[in-house]
PDB file of all heavy atoms in Angstrom:
ATOM      1  N   ARG A   1       0.829  -1.204   0.000  1.00 96.00           N
ATOM      2  CA  ARG A   1       0.000   0.000   0.000  1.00 96.00           C
ATOM      3  C   ARG A   1       0.867   1.259   0.000  1.00 96.00           C
ATOM      4  O   ARG A   1       1.882   1.344   0.696  1.00 96.00           O
ATOM      5  CB  ARG A   1      -0.897   0.022   1.241  1.00 96.00           C
ATOM      6  CG  ARG A   1      -1.971   1.109   1.164  1.00 96.00           C
ATOM      7  CD  ARG A   1      -2.751   1.264   2.450  1.00 96.00           C
ATOM      8  NE  ARG A   1      -3.519   0.122   2.887  1.00 96.00           N
ATOM      9  CZ  ARG A   1      -4.661  -0.287   2.334  1.00 96.00           C
ATOM     10  NH1 ARG A   1      -5.121   0.325   1.258  1.00 96.00           N
ATOM     11  NH2 ARG A   1      -5.319  -1.303   2.848  1.00 96.00           N
ATOM     12  N   PHE A   2       0.431   2.233  -0.808  1.00 98.00           N
ATOM     13  CA  PHE A   2       1.004   3.570  -0.737  1.00 98.00           C
ATOM     14  C   PHE A   2       0.239   4.367   0.307  1.00 98.00           C
ATOM     15  O   PHE A   2      -0.995   4.263   0.407  1.00 98.00           O
ATOM     16  CB  PHE A   2       0.874   4.296  -2.084  1.00 98.00           C
ATOM     17  CG  PHE A   2       1.804   3.817  -3.153  1.00 98.00           C
ATOM     18  CD1 PHE A   2       1.388   2.873  -4.084  1.00 98.00           C
ATOM     19  CD2 PHE A   2       3.097   4.311  -3.239  1.00 98.00           C
ATOM     20  CE1 PHE A   2       2.247   2.432  -5.087  1.00 98.00           C
ATOM     21  CE2 PHE A   2       3.964   3.881  -4.234  1.00 98.00           C
ATOM     22  CZ  PHE A   2       3.537   2.938  -5.159  1.00 98.00           C
ATOM     23  N   ILE A   3       0.950   5.159   1.093  1.00 98.00           N
ATOM     24  CA  ILE A   3       0.293   6.103   1.998  1.00 98.00           C
ATOM     25  C   ILE A   3       0.911   7.474   1.787  1.00 98.00           C
ATOM     26  O   ILE A   3       2.052   7.601   1.314  1.00 98.00           O
ATOM     27  CB  ILE A   3       0.420   5.672   3.476  1.00 98.00           C
ATOM     28  CG1 ILE A   3       1.887   5.573   3.908  1.00 98.00           C
ATOM     29  CG2 ILE A   3      -0.289   4.354   3.710  1.00 98.00           C
ATOM     30  CD1 ILE A   3       2.059   5.271   5.395  1.00 98.00           C
ATOM     31  N   THR A   4       0.157   8.506   2.123  1.00 98.00           N
ATOM     32  CA  THR A   4       0.621   9.874   1.930  1.00 98.00           C
ATOM     33  C   THR A   4       0.058  10.763   3.022  1.00 98.00           C
ATOM     34  O   THR A   4      -0.784  10.320   3.820  1.00 98.00           O
ATOM     35  CB  THR A   4       0.198  10.391   0.541  1.00 98.00           C
ATOM     36  OG1 THR A   4       0.835  11.638   0.280  1.00 98.00           O
ATOM     37  CG2 THR A   4      -1.321  10.567   0.450  1.00 98.00           C
ATOM     38  N   ARG A   5       0.491  12.008   3.081  1.00 98.00           N
ATOM     39  CA  ARG A   5      -0.012  12.930   4.091  1.00 98.00           C
ATOM     40  C   ARG A   5      -1.386  13.458   3.700  1.00 98.00           C
ATOM     41  O   ARG A   5      -1.706  13.582   2.512  1.00 98.00           O
ATOM     42  CB  ARG A   5       0.953  14.107   4.295  1.00 98.00           C
ATOM     43  CG  ARG A   5       2.254  13.718   4.967  1.00 98.00           C
ATOM     44  CD  ARG A   5       3.086  14.945   5.352  1.00 98.00           C
ATOM     45  NE  ARG A   5       3.261  15.861   4.245  1.00 98.00           N
ATOM     46  CZ  ARG A   5       4.090  15.665   3.235  1.00 98.00           C
ATOM     47  NH1 ARG A   5       4.805  14.543   3.179  1.00 98.00           N
ATOM     48  NH2 ARG A   5       4.203  16.545   2.267  1.00 98.00           N
ATOM     49  N   VAL A   6      -2.151  13.801   4.690  1.00 97.00           N
ATOM     50  CA  VAL A   6      -3.462  14.395   4.465  1.00 97.00           C
ATOM     51  C   VAL A   6      -3.279  15.715   3.714  1.00 97.00           C
ATOM     52  O   VAL A   6      -2.398  16.518   4.036  1.00 97.00           O
ATOM     53  CB  VAL A   6      -4.180  14.645   5.801  1.00 97.00           C
ATOM     54  CG1 VAL A   6      -5.499  15.391   5.576  1.00 97.00           C
ATOM     55  CG2 VAL A   6      -4.423  13.334   6.534  1.00 97.00           C
ATOM     56  N   GLY A   7      -4.089  15.927   2.674  1.00 95.00           N
ATOM     57  CA  GLY A   7      -4.055  17.189   1.948  1.00 95.00           C
ATOM     58  C   GLY A   7      -3.100  17.264   0.781  1.00 95.00           C
ATOM     59  O   GLY A   7      -2.992  18.309   0.141  1.00 95.00           O
ATOM     60  N   MET A   8      -2.403  16.177   0.481  1.00 96.00           N
ATOM     61  CA  MET A   8      -1.502  16.190  -0.675  1.00 96.00           C
ATOM     62  C   MET A   8      -2.321  16.341  -1.960  1.00 96.00           C
ATOM     63  O   MET A   8      -3.458  15.867  -2.049  1.00 96.00           O
ATOM     64  CB  MET A   8      -0.662  14.921  -0.702  1.00 96.00           C
ATOM     65  CG  MET A   8       0.378  14.855   0.407  1.00 96.00           C
ATOM     66  SD  MET A   8       1.650  16.145   0.272  1.00 96.00           S
ATOM     67  CE  MET A   8       2.695  15.450  -1.007  1.00 96.00           C
ATOM     68  N   PRO A   9      -1.756  16.993  -2.991  1.00 94.00           N
ATOM     69  CA  PRO A   9      -2.535  17.323  -4.187  1.00 94.00           C
ATOM     70  C   PRO A   9      -2.860  16.143  -5.093  1.00 94.00           C
ATOM     71  O   PRO A   9      -3.726  16.254  -5.952  1.00 94.00           O
ATOM     72  CB  PRO A   9      -1.631  18.334  -4.919  1.00 94.00           C
ATOM     73  CG  PRO A   9      -0.254  18.001  -4.463  1.00 94.00           C
ATOM     74  CD  PRO A   9      -0.403  17.576  -3.027  1.00 94.00           C
ATOM     75  N   PHE A  10      -2.169  15.015  -4.950  1.00 92.00           N
ATOM     76  CA  PHE A  10      -2.460  13.863  -5.808  1.00 92.00           C
ATOM     77  C   PHE A  10      -3.342  12.886  -5.038  1.00 92.00           C
ATOM     78  O   PHE A  10      -3.202  12.718  -3.831  1.00 92.00           O
ATOM     79  CB  PHE A  10      -1.173  13.189  -6.286  1.00 92.00           C
ATOM     80  CG  PHE A  10      -0.195  12.884  -5.189  1.00 92.00           C
ATOM     81  CD1 PHE A  10      -0.214  11.671  -4.521  1.00 92.00           C
ATOM     82  CD2 PHE A  10       0.749  13.835  -4.810  1.00 92.00           C
ATOM     83  CE1 PHE A  10       0.687  11.393  -3.514  1.00 92.00           C
ATOM     84  CE2 PHE A  10       1.658  13.559  -3.805  1.00 92.00           C
ATOM     85  CZ  PHE A  10       1.619  12.346  -3.148  1.00 92.00           C
ATOM     86  N   LYS A  11      -4.267  12.250  -5.743  1.00 90.00           N
ATOM     87  CA  LYS A  11      -5.250  11.385  -5.091  1.00 90.00           C
ATOM     88  C   LYS A  11      -5.182   9.938  -5.559  1.00 90.00           C
ATOM     89  O   LYS A  11      -5.982   9.111  -5.122  1.00 90.00           O
ATOM     90  CB  LYS A  11      -6.672  11.924  -5.358  1.00 90.00           C
ATOM     91  CG  LYS A  11      -6.874  13.362  -4.911  1.00 90.00           C
ATOM     92  CD  LYS A  11      -6.660  13.536  -3.416  1.00 90.00           C
ATOM     93  CE  LYS A  11      -6.877  14.973  -2.974  1.00 90.00           C
ATOM     94  NZ  LYS A  11      -6.571  15.171  -1.534  1.00 90.00           N
ATOM     95  N   ALA A  12      -4.245   9.621  -6.447  1.00 94.00           N
ATOM     96  CA  ALA A  12      -4.148   8.265  -6.969  1.00 94.00           C
ATOM     97  C   ALA A  12      -2.719   7.766  -6.847  1.00 94.00           C
ATOM     98  O   ALA A  12      -1.782   8.549  -6.701  1.00 94.00           O
ATOM     99  CB  ALA A  12      -4.604   8.229  -8.424  1.00 94.00           C
ATOM    100  N   ALA A  13      -2.573   6.440  -6.928  1.00 96.00           N
ATOM    101  CA  ALA A  13      -1.259   5.828  -6.764  1.00 96.00           C
ATOM    102  C   ALA A  13      -0.762   5.194  -8.057  1.00 96.00           C
ATOM    103  O   ALA A  13       0.108   4.329  -8.031  1.00 96.00           O
ATOM    104  CB  ALA A  13      -1.304   4.781  -5.660  1.00 96.00           C
ATOM    105  N   ASP A  14      -1.290   5.624  -9.190  1.00 96.00           N
ATOM    106  CA  ASP A  14      -0.822   5.067 -10.453  1.00 96.00           C
ATOM    107  C   ASP A  14       0.529   5.666 -10.827  1.00 96.00           C
ATOM    108  O   ASP A  14       0.989   6.653 -10.237  1.00 96.00           O
ATOM    109  CB  ASP A  14      -1.845   5.321 -11.566  1.00 96.00           C
ATOM    110  CG  ASP A  14      -2.118   6.803 -11.755  1.00 96.00           C
ATOM    111  OD1 ASP A  14      -2.961   7.344 -11.011  1.00 96.00           O
ATOM    112  OD2 ASP A  14      -1.465   7.423 -12.615  1.00 96.00           O
ATOM    113  N   ILE A  15       1.178   5.065 -11.802  1.00 96.00           N
ATOM    114  CA  ILE A  15       2.535   5.464 -12.189  1.00 96.00           C
ATOM    115  C   ILE A  15       2.591   6.918 -12.610  1.00 96.00           C
ATOM    116  O   ILE A  15       3.518   7.658 -12.241  1.00 96.00           O
ATOM    117  CB  ILE A  15       3.042   4.545 -13.318  1.00 96.00           C
ATOM    118  CG1 ILE A  15       3.184   3.109 -12.789  1.00 96.00           C
ATOM    119  CG2 ILE A  15       4.368   5.046 -13.870  1.00 96.00           C
ATOM    120  CD1 ILE A  15       3.482   2.088 -13.867  1.00 96.00           C
ATOM    121  N   ARG A  16       1.613   7.368 -13.387  1.00 96.00           N
ATOM    122  CA  ARG A  16       1.619   8.746 -13.873  1.00 96.00           C
ATOM    123  C   ARG A  16       1.439   9.742 -12.728  1.00 96.00           C
ATOM    124  O   ARG A  16       2.141  10.753 -12.657  1.00 96.00           O
ATOM    125  CB  ARG A  16       0.517   8.952 -14.917  1.00 96.00           C
ATOM    126  CG  ARG A  16       0.436  10.372 -15.463  1.00 96.00           C
ATOM    127  CD  ARG A  16      -0.647  10.511 -16.520  1.00 96.00           C
ATOM    128  NE  ARG A  16      -0.343   9.698 -17.696  1.00 96.00           N
ATOM    129  CZ  ARG A  16      -1.123   9.647 -18.780  1.00 96.00           C
ATOM    130  NH1 ARG A  16      -2.262  10.314 -18.801  1.00 96.00           N
ATOM    131  NH2 ARG A  16      -0.771   8.901 -19.798  1.00 96.00           N
ATOM    132  N   SER A  17       0.508   9.455 -11.810  1.00 96.00           N
ATOM    133  CA  SER A  17       0.243  10.395 -10.713  1.00 96.00           C
ATOM    134  C   SER A  17       1.451  10.562  -9.797  1.00 96.00           C
ATOM    135  O   SER A  17       1.660  11.638  -9.227  1.00 96.00           O
ATOM    136  CB  SER A  17      -0.956   9.913  -9.886  1.00 96.00           C
ATOM    137  OG  SER A  17      -2.135   9.891 -10.650  1.00 96.00           O
ATOM    138  N   LEU A  18       2.256   9.522  -9.665  1.00 97.00           N
ATOM    139  CA  LEU A  18       3.391   9.574  -8.750  1.00 97.00           C
ATOM    140  C   LEU A  18       4.724   9.840  -9.457  1.00 97.00           C
ATOM    141  O   LEU A  18       5.776   9.817  -8.815  1.00 97.00           O
ATOM    142  CB  LEU A  18       3.484   8.279  -7.953  1.00 97.00           C
ATOM    143  CG  LEU A  18       2.324   8.025  -6.975  1.00 97.00           C
ATOM    144  CD1 LEU A  18       2.532   6.726  -6.204  1.00 97.00           C
ATOM    145  CD2 LEU A  18       2.164   9.184  -5.993  1.00 97.00           C
ATOM    146  N   ALA A  19       4.681  10.107 -10.741  1.00 97.00           N
ATOM    147  CA  ALA A  19       5.906  10.436 -11.467  1.00 97.00           C
ATOM    148  C   ALA A  19       6.542  11.685 -10.868  1.00 97.00           C
ATOM    149  O   ALA A  19       5.874  12.703 -10.671  1.00 97.00           O
ATOM    150  CB  ALA A  19       5.610  10.641 -12.951  1.00 97.00           C
ATOM    151  N   GLY A  20       7.835  11.628 -10.567  1.00 97.00           N
ATOM    152  CA  GLY A  20       8.545  12.764  -9.985  1.00 97.00           C
ATOM    153  C   GLY A  20       8.345  12.938  -8.495  1.00 97.00           C
ATOM    154  O   GLY A  20       9.040  13.756  -7.873  1.00 97.00           O
ATOM    155  N   ARG A  21       7.454  12.195  -7.905  1.00 98.00           N
ATOM    156  CA  ARG A  21       7.185  12.312  -6.464  1.00 98.00           C
ATOM    157  C   ARG A  21       8.220  11.519  -5.662  1.00 98.00           C
ATOM    158  O   ARG A  21       8.749  10.508  -6.116  1.00 98.00           O
ATOM    159  CB  ARG A  21       5.782  11.790  -6.134  1.00 98.00           C
ATOM    160  CG  ARG A  21       4.661  12.545  -6.834  1.00 98.00           C
ATOM    161  CD  ARG A  21       4.513  13.946  -6.291  1.00 98.00           C
ATOM    162  NE  ARG A  21       3.395  14.653  -6.923  1.00 98.00           N
ATOM    163  CZ  ARG A  21       3.028  15.893  -6.599  1.00 98.00           C
ATOM    164  NH1 ARG A  21       3.680  16.549  -5.651  1.00 98.00           N
ATOM    165  NH2 ARG A  21       2.015  16.466  -7.214  1.00 98.00           N
ATOM    166  N   ARG A  22       8.486  11.968  -4.453  1.00 98.00           N
ATOM    167  CA  ARG A  22       9.442  11.300  -3.565  1.00 98.00           C
ATOM    168  C   ARG A  22       8.732  10.151  -2.834  1.00 98.00           C
ATOM    169  O   ARG A  22       7.853  10.394  -2.015  1.00 98.00           O
ATOM    170  CB  ARG A  22      10.002  12.299  -2.549  1.00 98.00           C
ATOM    171  CG  ARG A  22      10.721  13.499  -3.169  1.00 98.00           C
ATOM    172  CD  ARG A  22      10.931  14.586  -2.129  1.00 98.00           C
ATOM    173  NE  ARG A  22       9.649  15.060  -1.616  1.00 98.00           N
ATOM    174  CZ  ARG A  22       9.519  15.854  -0.546  1.00 98.00           C
ATOM    175  NH1 ARG A  22      10.593  16.249   0.122  1.00 98.00           N
ATOM    176  NH2 ARG A  22       8.319  16.231  -0.147  1.00 98.00           N
ATOM    177  N   ILE A  23       9.144   8.933  -3.156  1.00 98.00           N
ATOM    178  CA  ILE A  23       8.514   7.754  -2.569  1.00 98.00           C
ATOM    179  C   ILE A  23       9.537   7.015  -1.708  1.00 98.00           C
ATOM    180  O   ILE A  23      10.650   6.734  -2.149  1.00 98.00           O
ATOM    181  CB  ILE A  23       7.981   6.800  -3.647  1.00 98.00           C
ATOM    182  CG1 ILE A  23       6.977   7.521  -4.552  1.00 98.00           C
ATOM    183  CG2 ILE A  23       7.323   5.573  -3.002  1.00 98.00           C
ATOM    184  CD1 ILE A  23       6.482   6.660  -5.702  1.00 98.00           C
ATOM    185  N   GLY A  24       9.149   6.675  -0.492  1.00 98.00           N
ATOM    186  CA  GLY A  24      10.023   5.962   0.418  1.00 98.00           C
ATOM    187  C   GLY A  24       9.770   4.467   0.415  1.00 98.00           C
ATOM    188  O   GLY A  24       8.637   4.018   0.193  1.00 98.00           O
ATOM    189  N   PHE A  25      10.834   3.701   0.653  1.00 98.00           N
ATOM    190  CA  PHE A  25      10.726   2.256   0.792  1.00 98.00           C
ATOM    191  C   PHE A  25      11.831   1.783   1.731  1.00 98.00           C
ATOM    192  O   PHE A  25      12.815   2.492   1.975  1.00 98.00           O
ATOM    193  CB  PHE A  25      10.863   1.554  -0.566  1.00 98.00           C
ATOM    194  CG  PHE A  25      12.206   1.771  -1.227  1.00 98.00           C
ATOM    195  CD1 PHE A  25      13.279   0.935  -0.966  1.00 98.00           C
ATOM    196  CD2 PHE A  25      12.387   2.826  -2.113  1.00 98.00           C
ATOM    197  CE1 PHE A  25      14.511   1.136  -1.566  1.00 98.00           C
ATOM    198  CE2 PHE A  25      13.623   3.040  -2.717  1.00 98.00           C
ATOM    199  CZ  PHE A  25      14.691   2.196  -2.443  1.00 98.00           C
ATOM    200  N   VAL A  26      11.656   0.584   2.282  1.00 97.00           N
ATOM    201  CA  VAL A  26      12.683  -0.003   3.136  1.00 97.00           C
ATOM    202  C   VAL A  26      13.667  -0.755   2.253  1.00 97.00           C
ATOM    203  O   VAL A  26      13.272  -1.559   1.401  1.00 97.00           O
ATOM    204  CB  VAL A  26      12.070  -0.939   4.190  1.00 97.00           C
ATOM    205  CG1 VAL A  26      13.167  -1.621   5.003  1.00 97.00           C
ATOM    206  CG2 VAL A  26      11.153  -0.141   5.118  1.00 97.00           C
ATOM    207  N   LYS A  27      14.943  -0.493   2.471  1.00 97.00           N
ATOM    208  CA  LYS A  27      16.010  -1.046   1.642  1.00 97.00           C
ATOM    209  C   LYS A  27      16.042  -2.573   1.708  1.00 97.00           C
ATOM    210  O   LYS A  27      15.798  -3.171   2.748  1.00 97.00           O
ATOM    211  CB  LYS A  27      17.350  -0.474   2.110  1.00 97.00           C
ATOM    212  CG  LYS A  27      18.535  -0.822   1.213  1.00 97.00           C
ATOM    213  CD  LYS A  27      19.793  -0.138   1.715  1.00 97.00           C
ATOM    214  CE  LYS A  27      20.985  -0.452   0.824  1.00 97.00           C
ATOM    215  NZ  LYS A  27      22.219   0.229   1.312  1.00 97.00           N
ATOM    216  N   ASN A  28      16.334  -3.179   0.564  1.00 97.00           N
ATOM    217  CA  ASN A  28      16.507  -4.634   0.444  1.00 97.00           C
ATOM    218  C   ASN A  28      15.241  -5.411   0.776  1.00 97.00           C
ATOM    219  O   ASN A  28      15.295  -6.474   1.399  1.00 97.00           O
ATOM    220  CB  ASN A  28      17.660  -5.126   1.322  1.00 97.00           C
ATOM    221  CG  ASN A  28      18.999  -4.533   0.908  1.00 97.00           C
ATOM    222  OD1 ASN A  28      19.247  -4.317  -0.273  1.00 97.00           O
ATOM    223  ND2 ASN A  28      19.850  -4.264   1.879  1.00 97.00           N
ATOM    224  N   THR A  29      14.106  -4.878   0.375  1.00 96.00           N
ATOM    225  CA  THR A  29      12.832  -5.566   0.564  1.00 96.00           C
ATOM    226  C   THR A  29      12.177  -5.822  -0.787  1.00 96.00           C
ATOM    227  O   THR A  29      12.575  -5.271  -1.816  1.00 96.00           O
ATOM    228  CB  THR A  29      11.871  -4.727   1.413  1.00 96.00           C
ATOM    229  OG1 THR A  29      11.592  -3.488   0.728  1.00 96.00           O
ATOM    230  CG2 THR A  29      12.450  -4.435   2.788  1.00 96.00           C
ATOM    231  N   SER A  30      11.152  -6.659  -0.766  1.00 96.00           N
ATOM    232  CA  SER A  30      10.390  -6.920  -1.988  1.00 96.00           C
ATOM    233  C   SER A  30       9.646  -5.674  -2.454  1.00 96.00           C
ATOM    234  O   SER A  30       9.357  -5.528  -3.645  1.00 96.00           O
ATOM    235  CB  SER A  30       9.414  -8.072  -1.753  1.00 96.00           C
ATOM    236  OG  SER A  30       8.598  -7.822  -0.626  1.00 96.00           O
ATOM    237  N   HIS A  31       9.349  -4.764  -1.534  1.00 97.00           N
ATOM    238  CA  HIS A  31       8.685  -3.514  -1.927  1.00 97.00           C
ATOM    239  C   HIS A  31       9.623  -2.641  -2.750  1.00 97.00           C
ATOM    240  O   HIS A  31       9.188  -1.943  -3.674  1.00 97.00           O
ATOM    241  CB  HIS A  31       8.186  -2.781  -0.683  1.00 97.00           C
ATOM    242  CG  HIS A  31       7.206  -3.578   0.120  1.00 97.00           C
ATOM    243  ND1 HIS A  31       7.571  -4.302   1.219  1.00 97.00           N
ATOM    244  CD2 HIS A  31       5.877  -3.806  -0.062  1.00 97.00           C
ATOM    245  CE1 HIS A  31       6.510  -4.930   1.703  1.00 97.00           C
ATOM    246  NE2 HIS A  31       5.474  -4.658   0.940  1.00 97.00           N
ATOM    247  N   GLN A  32      10.901  -2.676  -2.450  1.00 98.00           N
ATOM    248  CA  GLN A  32      11.891  -1.971  -3.260  1.00 98.00           C
ATOM    249  C   GLN A  32      11.905  -2.539  -4.685  1.00 98.00           C
ATOM    250  O   GLN A  32      11.913  -1.787  -5.667  1.00 98.00           O
ATOM    251  CB  GLN A  32      13.287  -2.091  -2.643  1.00 98.00           C
ATOM    252  CG  GLN A  32      14.390  -1.501  -3.524  1.00 98.00           C
ATOM    253  CD  GLN A  32      15.779  -1.649  -2.915  1.00 98.00           C
ATOM    254  OE1 GLN A  32      15.920  -2.090  -1.776  1.00 98.00           O
ATOM    255  NE2 GLN A  32      16.799  -1.283  -3.668  1.00 98.00           N
ATOM    256  N   ALA A  33      11.899  -3.861  -4.804  1.00 97.00           N
ATOM    257  CA  ALA A  33      11.917  -4.493  -6.122  1.00 97.00           C
ATOM    258  C   ALA A  33      10.702  -4.079  -6.951  1.00 97.00           C
ATOM    259  O   ALA A  33      10.816  -3.815  -8.158  1.00 97.00           O
ATOM    260  CB  ALA A  33      11.963  -6.010  -5.965  1.00 97.00           C
ATOM    261  N   PHE A  34       9.539  -4.009  -6.310  1.00 97.00           N
ATOM    262  CA  PHE A  34       8.312  -3.605  -6.999  1.00 97.00           C
ATOM    263  C   PHE A  34       8.418  -2.171  -7.499  1.00 97.00           C
ATOM    264  O   PHE A  34       8.100  -1.877  -8.667  1.00 97.00           O
ATOM    265  CB  PHE A  34       7.126  -3.756  -6.048  1.00 97.00           C
ATOM    266  CG  PHE A  34       5.818  -3.266  -6.606  1.00 97.00           C
ATOM    267  CD1 PHE A  34       5.064  -4.069  -7.453  1.00 97.00           C
ATOM    268  CD2 PHE A  34       5.322  -2.006  -6.272  1.00 97.00           C
ATOM    269  CE1 PHE A  34       3.852  -3.624  -7.965  1.00 97.00           C
ATOM    270  CE2 PHE A  34       4.115  -1.559  -6.775  1.00 97.00           C
ATOM    271  CZ  PHE A  34       3.371  -2.368  -7.624  1.00 97.00           C
ATOM    272  N   LEU A  35       8.867  -1.262  -6.633  1.00 98.00           N
ATOM    273  CA  LEU A  35       8.977   0.141  -7.023  1.00 98.00           C
ATOM    274  C   LEU A  35       9.985   0.341  -8.141  1.00 98.00           C
ATOM    275  O   LEU A  35       9.744   1.113  -9.083  1.00 98.00           O
ATOM    276  CB  LEU A  35       9.371   0.991  -5.808  1.00 98.00           C
ATOM    277  CG  LEU A  35       8.305   1.176  -4.725  1.00 98.00           C
ATOM    278  CD1 LEU A  35       8.893   1.921  -3.540  1.00 98.00           C
ATOM    279  CD2 LEU A  35       7.081   1.914  -5.262  1.00 98.00           C
ATOM    280  N   GLU A  36      11.109  -0.314  -8.061  1.00 98.00           N
ATOM    281  CA  GLU A  36      12.138  -0.149  -9.088  1.00 98.00           C
ATOM    282  C   GLU A  36      11.681  -0.699 -10.435  1.00 98.00           C
ATOM    283  O   GLU A  36      12.120  -0.222 -11.485  1.00 98.00           O
ATOM    284  CB  GLU A  36      13.429  -0.830  -8.639  1.00 98.00           C
ATOM    285  CG  GLU A  36      14.100  -0.090  -7.478  1.00 98.00           C
ATOM    286  CD  GLU A  36      15.354  -0.784  -6.988  1.00 98.00           C
ATOM    287  OE1 GLU A  36      15.534  -1.980  -7.316  1.00 98.00           O
ATOM    288  OE2 GLU A  36      16.135  -0.142  -6.263  1.00 98.00           O
ATOM    289  N   LYS A  37      10.779  -1.667 -10.409  1.00 97.00           N
ATOM    290  CA  LYS A  37      10.266  -2.248 -11.648  1.00 97.00           C
ATOM    291  C   LYS A  37       9.203  -1.363 -12.300  1.00 97.00           C
ATOM    292  O   LYS A  37       9.198  -1.189 -13.521  1.00 97.00           O
ATOM    293  CB  LYS A  37       9.685  -3.627 -11.365  1.00 97.00           C
ATOM    294  CG  LYS A  37       9.170  -4.351 -12.607  1.00 97.00           C
ATOM    295  CD  LYS A  37       8.687  -5.744 -12.264  1.00 97.00           C
ATOM    296  CE  LYS A  37       8.190  -6.475 -13.505  1.00 97.00           C
ATOM    297  NZ  LYS A  37       7.728  -7.859 -13.169  1.00 97.00           N
ATOM    298  N   TYR A  38       8.324  -0.776 -11.482  1.00 97.00           N
ATOM    299  CA  TYR A  38       7.170  -0.072 -12.039  1.00 97.00           C
ATOM    300  C   TYR A  38       7.187   1.449 -11.835  1.00 97.00           C
ATOM    301  O   TYR A  38       6.543   2.173 -12.592  1.00 97.00           O
ATOM    302  CB  TYR A  38       5.873  -0.627 -11.435  1.00 97.00           C
ATOM    303  CG  TYR A  38       5.628  -2.073 -11.769  1.00 97.00           C
ATOM    304  CD1 TYR A  38       5.776  -3.064 -10.806  1.00 97.00           C
ATOM    305  CD2 TYR A  38       5.258  -2.461 -13.054  1.00 97.00           C
ATOM    306  CE1 TYR A  38       5.547  -4.398 -11.103  1.00 97.00           C
ATOM    307  CE2 TYR A  38       5.028  -3.793 -13.371  1.00 97.00           C
ATOM    308  CZ  TYR A  38       5.173  -4.758 -12.387  1.00 97.00           C
ATOM    309  OH  TYR A  38       4.945  -6.075 -12.691  1.00 97.00           O
ATOM    310  N   TYR A  39       7.888   1.944 -10.830  1.00 98.00           N
ATOM    311  CA  TYR A  39       7.829   3.369 -10.491  1.00 98.00           C
ATOM    312  C   TYR A  39       9.193   4.045 -10.648  1.00 98.00           C
ATOM    313  O   TYR A  39       9.568   4.905  -9.864  1.00 98.00           O
ATOM    314  CB  TYR A  39       7.307   3.543  -9.056  1.00 98.00           C
ATOM    315  CG  TYR A  39       5.814   3.280  -8.943  1.00 98.00           C
ATOM    316  CD1 TYR A  39       5.325   1.978  -8.862  1.00 98.00           C
ATOM    317  CD2 TYR A  39       4.899   4.333  -8.941  1.00 98.00           C
ATOM    318  CE1 TYR A  39       3.966   1.739  -8.787  1.00 98.00           C
ATOM    319  CE2 TYR A  39       3.532   4.096  -8.859  1.00 98.00           C
ATOM    320  CZ  TYR A  39       3.071   2.791  -8.786  1.00 98.00           C
ATOM    321  OH  TYR A  39       1.715   2.554  -8.708  1.00 98.00           O
ATOM    322  N   ASP A  40       9.904   3.684 -11.704  1.00 97.00           N
ATOM    323  CA  ASP A  40      11.231   4.256 -11.916  1.00 97.00           C
ATOM    324  C   ASP A  40      11.182   5.720 -12.359  1.00 97.00           C
ATOM    325  O   ASP A  40      12.214   6.399 -12.402  1.00 97.00           O
ATOM    326  CB  ASP A  40      12.025   3.429 -12.932  1.00 97.00           C
ATOM    327  CG  ASP A  40      11.318   3.278 -14.270  1.00 97.00           C
ATOM    328  OD1 ASP A  40      10.094   3.548 -14.334  1.00 97.00           O
ATOM    329  OD2 ASP A  40      11.978   2.895 -15.253  1.00 97.00           O
ATOM    330  N   ARG A  41      10.003   6.238 -12.661  1.00 97.00           N
ATOM    331  CA  ARG A  41       9.857   7.665 -12.981  1.00 97.00           C
ATOM    332  C   ARG A  41       9.681   8.515 -11.730  1.00 97.00           C
ATOM    333  O   ARG A  41       9.653   9.740 -11.804  1.00 97.00           O
ATOM    334  CB  ARG A  41       8.664   7.865 -13.923  1.00 97.00           C
ATOM    335  CG  ARG A  41       8.853   7.266 -15.312  1.00 97.00           C
ATOM    336  CD  ARG A  41       7.560   7.192 -16.080  1.00 97.00           C
ATOM    337  NE  ARG A  41       6.918   8.500 -16.189  1.00 97.00           N
ATOM    338  CZ  ARG A  41       5.670   8.676 -16.637  1.00 97.00           C
ATOM    339  NH1 ARG A  41       4.942   7.613 -17.013  1.00 97.00           N
ATOM    340  NH2 ARG A  41       5.150   9.884 -16.714  1.00 97.00           N
TER     341      ARG A  41
END
């Protein structure tokens, strides 16, 4: 799951909506592998 702060201007978690956005993940996890595969923008 993606989570964000209340009031942020984007309302969706698709690749286009999160392009250029700062996304955090825990190093050396399967979540990192997912993000690097699909959210490299």
Side-chain angles (χ1 to χ4, degrees):
R1 191 187 298 286
F2 286 96
I3 60 175
T4 189
R5 290 189 309 284
V6 175
M8 290 295 281
F10 50 91
K11 303 299 181 184
D14 59 276
I15 295 172
R16 179 178 296 181
S17 297
L18 294 182
R21 299 291 183 178
R22 301 166 299 169
I23 302 176
F25 62 88
V26 176
K27 188 176 181 180
N28 297 325
T29 62
S30 54
H31 300 97
Q32 174 181 354
F34 175 82
L35 289 175
E36 290 178 343
K37 182 177 181 179
Y38 297 107
Y39 286 81
D40 56 344
R41 293 166 56 191

